[in-house]
Each structure stands twice: as structure tokens, then as C-alpha cells.
């Protein structure tokens, strides 16, 4: 599978089988996240792996959707803003950028090993902070459910054309 095939294989999966994800696959996915680039190589991320029934109940409260409950496992990509690079010229903190790269590594690695994933950002961050007792500087960027997909693999949803998005100067 070349890179574009892998990119096309990934889609937002919103229905999972209850089957457990093998530890070797989870380890592979987390290693791909660990290897992601980050600004000044500060690696400001923390990955919360949610496997226990108790914590799954908690995370499902933060994003209350029926499909979300079907996932056997979740990885929450968090960042510590105080560790991330801040551009001096305009004070832009790059925590979100770093976290997003790692999160997409997770989704692509999952697709490679035959697992489905979905970016979820529309969760309740206040409830997350309360239930998971995060320190003030650490905040969740994305929750990624992982598991074997219980639907026919989708094609990528429609994308804008090259003409719309590329400017050659
Ligand atoms: C930053 C970001 C946040 C997203 N948040 C959610 C979400 O909260 N819930 C959800 O169902 N999908 C979410 N998605 C998935 C998008 O809806 C999906 O990626 C987009 O429609 C393209 O479809 P595809 O992933 O199947 O190619 C999110 C995607 C991104 C990149």
C-alpha cells in the first residue's frame, strides 16, 4: 500500500465491533504518534488510552452519541500548552498544531493495521477536565475512538477540487 492508498483508506468510522484491539496494534499506533514531528521537537503531547469500563463510561459522557459508545477503545490526544513552542513574533502557541499531527498519525496508523478511527473534537472539555482531573495546562485536543469497523468501508467523503484549494504563485 503506497501512501495515497493509505490516505484514501482512512475515513471517519462511526460504528465499531466490540472486538478488543490487539495490544500489538495499539502499541504500533502509539509508536507512530510518538514519532510525529513537533515544533522545536518539544513533543508537548500526552496520550490517554481509555480501556477500562469505568473510564469508557466517563469519556462517553463527554461526547454523548450512540455511535461513539460502540468503540472498544479511545485515545485522547492531550497537550501541555506550557511545554509547546510559542512563536515570539506573535505569541502563537503551537500545541494544537503538534497535537493534530500526532492525532492524524494515529488515524493513519490505525487504517494501516485494519482499524477504524474518527477524529472527535466536539466533546465537552469542561466535563472532560472534571472527570479526568487534568492539570490546568494539559488540555484534550481530540478523542479518537479505535476499533474494528462495523460498517462497509466508506470512500473518502467529497473533497474540494485542486483548483479551489491550490494557488501557484
Ligand atoms: C478537527 C476535526 C474535528 C472533528 N470532530 C468530529 C466530531 O466531533 N464528531 C464527528 O463525528 N466527526 C468529527 N470529525 C470528522 C469529520 O467530520 C470528517 O473528518 C470529515 O467529514 C471528512 O470525512 P472523512 O474523515 O470520512 O474523510 C472531525 C474531524 C476533524 C479533522
Amino acid at each position: 500500500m503506497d501512501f495515497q492508498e493509505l490516505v484514501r483508506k482512512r475515513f471517519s468510522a462511526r460504528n465499531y465491533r466490540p472486538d478488543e484491539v490487539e495490544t500489538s496494534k495499539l502499541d504500533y499506533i502509539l509508536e507512530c504518534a510518538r514519532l510525529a514531528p513537533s515544533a522545536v521537537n518539544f513533543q508537548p503531547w500526552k496520550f490517554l488510552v481509555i480501556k477500562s469500563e469505568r473510564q469508557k463510561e466517563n469519556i462517553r459522557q463527554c461526547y454523548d452519541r450512540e455511535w461513539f459508545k460502540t468503540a472498544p477503545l479511545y485515545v485522547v490526544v492531550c497537550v501541555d500548552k506550557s511545554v509547546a513552542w510559542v512563536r515570539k513574533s506573535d505569541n502563537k502557541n503551537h500545541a494544537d498544531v503538534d497535537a493534530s499531527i500526532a492525532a492524524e498519525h494515529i488515524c493513519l496508523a490505525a487504517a494501516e493495521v485494519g482499524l477504524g478511527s474518527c477524529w472527535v473534537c466536539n466533546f465537552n472539555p469542561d466535563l472532560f477536565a472534571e472527570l479526568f482531573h487534568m492539570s490546568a495546562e494539559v488540555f484534550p485536543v481530540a478523542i479518537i475512538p479505535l476499533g474494528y469497523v462495523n460498517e462497509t468501508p466508506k470512500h473518502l467523503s467529497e473533497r474540494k477540487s485542486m483548483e479551489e484549494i491550490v494557488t501557484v504563485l
Side-chain angles (χ1 to χ4, degrees):
M1 183 163 40
D2 68 23
F3 184 64
Q4 194 178 130
E5 282 171 332
L6 177 61
V7 168
R8 287 177 182 277
K9 197 170 145 107
R10 186 217 58 83
F11 66 94
S12 292
R14 295 191 181 90
N15 196 6
Y16 298 89
R17 302 201 317 246
D19 311 51
E20 240 184 66
V21 170
E22 297 86 336
T23 305
S24 58
K25 289 193 176 183
L26 178 61
D27 289 348
Y28 177 79
I29 289 166
L30 293 171
E31 177 67 358
C32 290
R34 190 180 75 84
L35 298 177
S38 59
V40 199
N41 202 19
F42 282 164
Q43 304 166 58
W45 39 59
K46 297 278 178 202
F47 303 102
L48 215 56
V49 178
I50 300 194
K51 280 174 112 173
S52 70
E53 288 310 315
R54 191 169 142 252
Q55 299 302 352
K56 282 198 271 193
E57 271 174 34
N58 282 336
I59 200 76
R60 287 167 182 164
Q61 285 183 54
C62 299
Y63 185 67
D64 190 10
R65 304 287 189 284
E66 282 311 306
W67 72 263
F68 189 69
K69 294 181 186 146
T70 63
L73 170 74
Y74 305 85
V75 177
V76 188
V77 181
C78 302
V79 273
D80 185 336
K81 273 200 156 184
S82 68
V83 174
W85 178 62
V86 178
R87 186 166 56 200
K88 284 216 170 63
S89 55
D90 62 356
N91 263 340
K92 180 186 161 81
N93 186 301
H94 282 64
D96 271 354
V97 178
D98 293 337
S100 300
I101 297 167
E104 189 58 7
H105 275 208
I106 289 173
C107 295
L108 289 170
E112 189 199 351
V113 298
L115 294 167
S117 67
C118 186
W119 275 78
V120 169
C121 295
N122 191 21
F123 57 87
N124 182 334
D126 295 333
L127 186 58
F128 181 90
E130 190 186 314
L131 293 173
F132 290 93
H133 315 291
M134 307 303 286
S135 73
E137 286 298 324
V138 178
F139 70 97
V141 173
I143 305 172
I144 304 177
L146 289 172
Y148 290 95
V149 170
N150 195 15
E151 55 186 318
T152 21
K154 282 186 234 144
H155 290 292
L156 273 185
S157 45
E158 206 178 303
R159 297 296 195 253
K160 292 180 180 176
S161 69
M162 284 287 186
E163 291 69 33
E164 280 178 283
I165 60 169
V166 178
T167 306
V168 181
L169 298 173

